[in-house]
Amino acid sequence: MELSVFLKETVCLRPSEQSKRQTIELSGLDRISPAILYVVLFFKSSLNSEAEYAVERAKRALQKVMVSWNPAAGRFRINESTGKLQIECNDEGITMITAASDSRLEELGTLHEYKTCYEKLVPQLSEADDISKNPLFVVQITRFACGGVSVSVGGSHALFDGVGAFTFLASWAHISSGKDESDLIVPNHSRDAILSAIYSPHHSCPEAASIYEQHHITAIQDLYGIPMQIMASDDRCWESALVKFSRVDHSQGGLELITFCVDKEIVETWKGQAIERGNLFKCSTFDVLSSHIWKARVKALLPPDTNICLQFPVDSRDRFQPPLGKNFTGNAFVLASVSCLVRDLLEEPLHSTIRKIQGAKHVITDEYIKLYTKALESSNKFFPSMRELTIVTDWLKFPFSALDFGWGKLSSAALLATPVQETAFLMMNLEESGGFMVRIGIGGQYVHDLVSNFNNFNYY
């Protein structure tokens, strides 16, 4: 559909008071994919006469929250001696755009489904030749004719992981809505605990010049069975990507972003069935949905004798020793991994796949985390084939519905570009109480088969 958006103002917001100047050394977990991720948040509010005040209040709140979340106002730079990416906390600021549309939110239909016109709701920034000139976090607030509002945010994945980014958003919303700032957690942005642990002389971590030599790490070992493409030897390989604020590239293979909705009743039935038939102690929504989308995707893409791999991030904040703490904002997710043949995956019952996924989670121990993180510091980088590798990310635990900037609770959320666009994201369906969503990117020629597979698997 057509969506007219009129830009009103572009400003660089800096912290309301000078923050702590520092350089944050990033870990391999941060630097593995520093590209920009965009989310559009929709609020079916009725802001009219007070809209200008509401937007100004959100601006001031963002400036306040940046004081303690100062990496968001910083810039990337490459350490010339190591070739590794760093964050310079220099208060250069966040780019915020305010805009207006003469359309109404209801004209957009189902809000959580990606539409090309959503690209107009996120900041369209010019590309800088130097990554140190680009903001790490961008915002666009668009007011609609109905009084509704969209808040679009884009941030580098190297800045915060999902937990950190959501806590940042929640803190901004908390202050914007006028709530007590003393209720907020004090964030910890330092990666020193991770870096010190993996380089500690007391930690016996095998040295390897190449990431290909890390046979002792399941998530890397499993990738040996699928094609891999080697990358450059340091973080300078990211420079051309980091100066681009690009979103969905429809020119490469006709990638389409598909959103599936699943009723709570269906998921609960699958969970109960898996527990009963597989004699499982427990079964989570993530276990069920990740098993289901893995089966549906590989059936659409690959022949039966193909080696395949499912990988999914596991939060290591509490598994790392000593624990990183819930206020740690850097990337703390380590990939768990399951591998098999397409034929075996499609022939085995749902509960067997779930058991493998649960087993992969148990592998993520303190020792594994440190070995994995150390491996990412090795001299080679690679991209595995995204046909054989399925990545599933769990956003089910993020309470998006609680986000309130002072103009009402969130009505819906839509994902735009992600660092790996074929990744499947599991989210709550805010437009259908209790329901769930699966958002995934796939080549246009496979959409029909994927939809058919996803909707026709019968586990009863």
Side-chain angles (χ1 to χ4, degrees), residues 42-58:
F42 293 101
F43 299 83
K44 293 181 179 179
S45 313
S46 54
L47 292 176
N48 290 303
S49 59
E50 57 189 53
E52 292 288 346
Y53 169 75
V55 172
E56 286 300 316
R57 186 180 62 209

Side-chain angles (χ1 to χ4, degrees), residues 155-181:
S156 168
H157 208 289
L159 182 62
F160 309 129
D161 66 7
V163 172
F166 183 84
T167 306
F168 174 60
L169 278 179
S171 299
W172 174 26
H174 185 94
I175 295 175
S176 180
S177 63
K179 295 176 182 175
D180 191 344
E181 296 178 39

Side-chain angles (χ1 to χ4, degrees), residues 100-120:
S101 174
D102 54 11
S103 297
R104 304 174 66 85
L105 284 179
E106 53 265 33
E107 296 174 29
L108 298 178
T110 304
L111 293 174
H112 61 241
E113 292 181 352
Y114 171 80
K115 303 170 183 66
T116 305
C117 64
Y118 285 180
E119 305 293 346
K120 297 180 180 180

Side-chain angles (χ1 to χ4, degrees), residues 135-206:
L136 302 186
F137 201 87
V138 293
V139 177
Q140 179 171 322
I141 299 179
T142 305
R143 292 159 46 195
F144 289 82
C146 57
V149 177
S150 69
V151 177
S152 303
V153 295
S156 168
H157 208 289
L159 182 62
F160 309 129
D161 66 7
V163 172
F166 183 84
T167 306
F168 174 60
L169 278 179
S171 299
W172 174 26
H174 185 94
I175 295 175
S176 180
S177 63
K179 295 176 182 175
D180 191 344
E181 296 178 39
S182 63
D183 295 336
L184 298 175
I185 67 167
V186 177
N188 170 26
H189 308 299
S190 173
R191 278 63 164 181
D192 288 351
I194 294 176
L195 294 172
S196 298
I198 63 175
Y199 289 114
S200 169
H202 304 294
H203 181 245
S204 56
C205 185

Side-chain angles (χ1 to χ4, degrees), residues 15 35 67-68 127 140 198 231 246 293 390 396 398 409 423 430:
V67 175
S68 57
E127 297 174 4
Q140 179 171 322
I198 63 175
M231 290 290 291
S246 58
I293 189 63
T390 301
L396 294 167
F398 297 156
K409 290 189 176 182
T423 299
L430 300 179

Side-chain angles (χ1 to χ4, degrees), residues 386-398:
M386 288 310 301
R387 286 170 58 85
E388 288 84 357
L389 174 61
T390 301
I391 301 177
V392 180
T393 295
D394 184 4
W395 281 18
L396 294 167
K397 294 181 180 179
F398 297 156

Side-chain angles (χ1 to χ4, degrees), residues 26 31 34 76-78 83-87 131 158 235 242:
L26 300 178
R31 300 179 351 258
F76 281 140
R77 75 173 186 182
I78 299 290
K84 293 181 179 179
L85 202 64
Q86 301 172 319
I87 296 177
I131 63 170
D235 290 333
L242 289 173

